Amino acid sequence: ASSAAIAGLMAGLCGRAVKLDQTDGLRIFLEGDEIVHFRPSGNAPELRCYAEAVTQQRADALVHACLQRLKSGFDI
């Protein structure tokens, strides 16, 4: 994943990506101590998305927004 694609995916949702980890999918560490993690399912043909944030509501909002952007054709 290119940094420009990641910046585009996250634009308007959160701060910029400060670190990437591709060990198990793509984990994006963001400013403000937030994390978004994309990974393929181990047993189904689907992409999973997880997020860590200060509140559960914020994490849910990040997951929802990121998946909506990917479903709309955004390519990382």
Side-chain angles (χ1 to χ4, degrees), residues 3 5 7 11-12 16 23 26 28 34-36 39-41 44-45 48-51 54 56-57 64 66-67 72 76:
S3 9
R16 69 179 183 83
T23 303
L26 175 61
I28 306 167
E34 294 181 330
I35 299 170
V36 175
R39 63 177 291 278
S41 170
R48 298 185 186 237
C49 180
Y50 305 93
V54 174
Q56 183 65 51
Q57 183 178 4
H64 178 75
C66 287
L67 289 176
S72 69
I76 56 173

Side-chain angles (χ1 to χ4, degrees), residues 54-69:
V54 174
T55 66
Q56 183 65 51
Q57 183 178 4
R58 174 66 178 153
D60 292 344
L62 281 171
V63 167
H64 178 75
C66 287
L67 289 176
Q68 284 302 110
R69 288 182 178 196

Side-chain angles (χ1 to χ4, degrees), residues 8-9 11 19 21 24 27 29 33 36 38 41-42 44 52-53 56 58-59 63-64 66-68 73-74:
L9 176 66
K19 179 180 158 187
D21 181 349
D24 180 28
R27 186 180 307 260
F29 295 83
D33 294 325
V36 175
F38 297 100
S41 170
E52 294 181 24
Q56 183 65 51
R58 174 66 178 153
V63 167
H64 178 75
C66 287
L67 289 176
Q68 284 302 110
F74 193 94

